[in-house]
Each structure stands twice: as C-alpha cells, then as structure tokens.
Amino acid sequence: MNKEDLFIRSIQANIEAKLFKGKAIIIYGPRQIGKTTLLKSILEKYPEDGLYLNCDEPDIRKNFEKQSSTKMKSVLWNKKLIIFDEVQRIRNAGVTLKLLVDNYPELQIIATGSSALDLSEEISEPMTGRVYEFTLYPLSLTELTQRYDHIELSRMLPSFLRFGTYPFVINSSELEAPEKINNLANKYLYQDILEFEHLKKHELITKLLEVLALRIGEEISYDELASQLEVNKNTIIRYVNLLERVFVIRVITPF
C-alpha cells in the first residue's frame, strides 16, 4: 500500500501523548482495522529506539513465554519503544507485560490485540494500574476527509453503509469489497469465536447476525431473539456478548 493510500488515525495523537508515562499501552480492535499500520506510523518517529515484534511468529513468542524479566530484556536490543503486535498469542501475556513494566520503567510497551475475548481478561488483573487502553475503530468521516471532500463523501455514503469503512474496503472497488469482507468474516470471525469458546453452532451465529443486521438502531429483546431463533435466551445473551467482544457488533444500552 502506498503512503498516499494511508490515513492518519485520530487516536494516534492521544496514544503518543501517553508515551513514556510509566505505563503500557494496549490497543484493541478487530483484525485488518489498521492497528499494524498505526503502530508502524508511531514507530517511524523512533527509528533508533523502536522495536516491532509480531507475536504471530513462533520464535517471537518463545522469547517471551515463561521467561524471566532479565532474559526478556536481553532480546530487546536496548530499544526503548517495544511494540507487541497481536500480543494475545503470547501465553500469559499479562504477566509478561507486568514483568517488563515493573522491572524496566524506562521502556514504553505498546501491545495490540484483535480479540478482546481472552486478551482483556488476561491482562486486566496483572496490569491493574499499569496500562492505558485504546480501541481502534473503522475509519470515521473525519478521518476520511483527509482524502475526500464533503461532496465526494456524500456520494460515497451508500457504499459506506453497505460495506463499512475498514481501510481495506475504502481502498477496494465495490466488486472487490464484498469478497474481502466475506473472507475476513469466514477466516477470523468464526475462528475467534468458535475456537475460543469451543462453540459448534456456526449457523446460529450467522442467523443471529442476519436478524441483528435487519434491526440496527432498534430496540431488541433477548426473549424475542431466542424465540425467533428457537434457542435458549441465555444462549442468545452469550452469543451477543461474544460478538461484541470481537468487535462485530456494539450494544447500545438505554439512556
């Protein structure tokens, strides 16, 4: 992707304002929302002191699983800004980050996670009082004005409403967007939910999402959804909670 295709994300300034304050920074957000691009944009400002670690890589994980703080520090190459991308891949990630923050306060740790299913719970207890948390959402209209004027945005609104504003959607044609969205859902959405919770009702998730999609902005009743989908009310509550925690839906409670 060319630099001219990238957007400066609004939360970047807020994140940079929290750097080197003695706490780790956690950035949540769904897959392919632009977290890695955001991280590398921040990293560019620290060419000598920054280190990017992709935790999808097995050898990276090995260096930070069941290791002492001294051992972990030795593989950081005396860098000051350490980025752990997809940190949920590291077993006991919360303990790992706690050891680094407590023993090396001069380090600035930034970690990202694509699923709040396991990461938020795993990090919350050991990292209490040691972390700033941010969530990266799809591109906002304000961010899109970096490339489009108001007339163009008005014309593109039907496309945004159909396909959303993921960065990869904005940079795709209307023919490519549906295929990319389907691939994302099938490859990651169901994988995150089904694998983490050991769920087997793939069809129920799809049906629930279809029903919710037709009722965006309306009040919903868990009892009504359960009756419509012929399942237990508690199952619906659980699935809605799971979908929210992997950033597929967002529940707005009454004022």
Side-chain angles (χ1 to χ4, degrees):
M1 187 179 294
N2 298 324
K3 277 208 169 186
E4 55 267 25
D5 294 328
L6 303 178
F7 293 88
I8 299 172
R9 305 308 299 269
S10 298
I11 70 168
Q12 181 169 338
N14 296 333
I15 292 171
E16 290 177 340
K18 299 296 186 182
L19 292 176
F20 300 103
K21 303 290 186 183
K23 295 185 179 183
I25 293 172
I26 308 295
I27 305 172
Y28 297 103
R31 298 176 189 273
Q32 296 191 26
I33 202 66
K35 297 189 301 297
T36 300
T37 302
L38 170 63
L39 292 174
K40 291 186 175 179
S41 178
I42 295 172
L43 204 58
E44 285 180 355
K45 300 182 180 181
Y46 300 87
E48 303 297 326
D49 292 323
L51 178 64
Y52 174 85
L53 300 169
N54 181 358
C55 299
D56 280 326
E57 299 285 354
D59 56 336
I60 298 296
R61 295 197 299 270
K62 185 177 179 181
N63 285 326
F64 296 94
E65 290 179 348
K66 297 181 179 179
Q67 301 291 348
S68 67
S69 58
T70 304
K71 174 66 175 177
M72 290 189 288
K73 181 67 164 58
S74 70
V75 299
L76 296 180
W77 299 91
N78 292 319
K79 302 296 185 179
K80 299 298 183 185
L81 177 63
I82 314 299
I83 291 176
F84 291 93
D85 205 357
E86 301 296 350
V87 74
Q88 76 273 6
R89 300 294 187 198
I90 297 176
R91 250 186 249 107
N92 297 316
V95 175
T96 295
L97 297 182
K98 176 183 181 296
L99 286 172
L100 290 172
V101 171
D102 286 353
N103 289 284
Y104 307 105
E106 73 278 7
L107 295 181
Q108 175 59 63
I109 306 294
I110 303 179
T112 74
S114 294
S115 170
L117 286 173
D118 46 0
L119 183 58
S120 61
E121 293 178 356
E122 184 175 308
I123 284 180
S124 60
E125 185 176 346
M127 293 297 287
T128 300
R130 299 176 175 86
V131 64
Y132 296 113
E133 295 181 310
F134 295 89
T135 301
L136 185 63
Y137 294 104
L139 290 160
S140 67
L141 289 178
T142 299
E143 290 168 334
L144 287 167
T145 58
Q146 296 170 31
R147 185 183 303 175
Y148 308 106
D149 61 31
H150 292 290
I151 294 176
E152 289 176 303
L153 287 176
S154 179
R155 291 171 179 168
M156 296 169 71
L157 184 59
S159 177
F160 297 156
L161 293 175
R162 284 184 66 196
F163 305 120
T165 57
Y166 270 65
F168 72 84
V169 170
I170 299 299
N171 292 308
S172 302
S173 68
E174 288 202 5
L175 292 175
E176 297 173 321
E179 181 179 356
K180 290 185 177 181
I181 291 171
N182 286 331
N183 286 339
L184 177 67
N186 290 326
K187 186 175 182 182
Y188 295 126
L189 164 60
Y190 298 123
Q191 174 185 316
D192 282 344
I193 294 178
L194 298 176
E195 284 189 4
F196 181 78
E197 288 290 325
H198 307 293
L199 302 177
K200 298 179 180 179
K201 297 183 179 180
H202 185 297
E203 300 80 7
L204 177 56
I205 295 176
T206 303
K207 290 178 182 178
L208 176 59
L209 283 172
E210 289 173 352
V211 172
L212 293 175
L214 294 173
R215 303 190 60 179
I216 290 176
E218 300 179 13
E219 290 185 356
I220 62 168
S221 162
Y222 290 126
D223 289 308
E224 184 181 329
L225 290 173
S227 175
Q228 185 173 349
L229 297 174
E230 299 180 338
V231 294
N232 183 278
K233 173 184 174 181
N234 290 332
T235 299
I236 294 296
I237 293 173
R238 183 184 181 195
Y239 274 53
V240 167
N241 178 257
L242 289 171
L243 288 167
E244 187 169 26
R245 291 167 70 191
V246 292
F247 309 102
V248 175
I249 64 173
R250 185 174 182 184
V251 177
I252 308 297
T253 55
F255 178 69

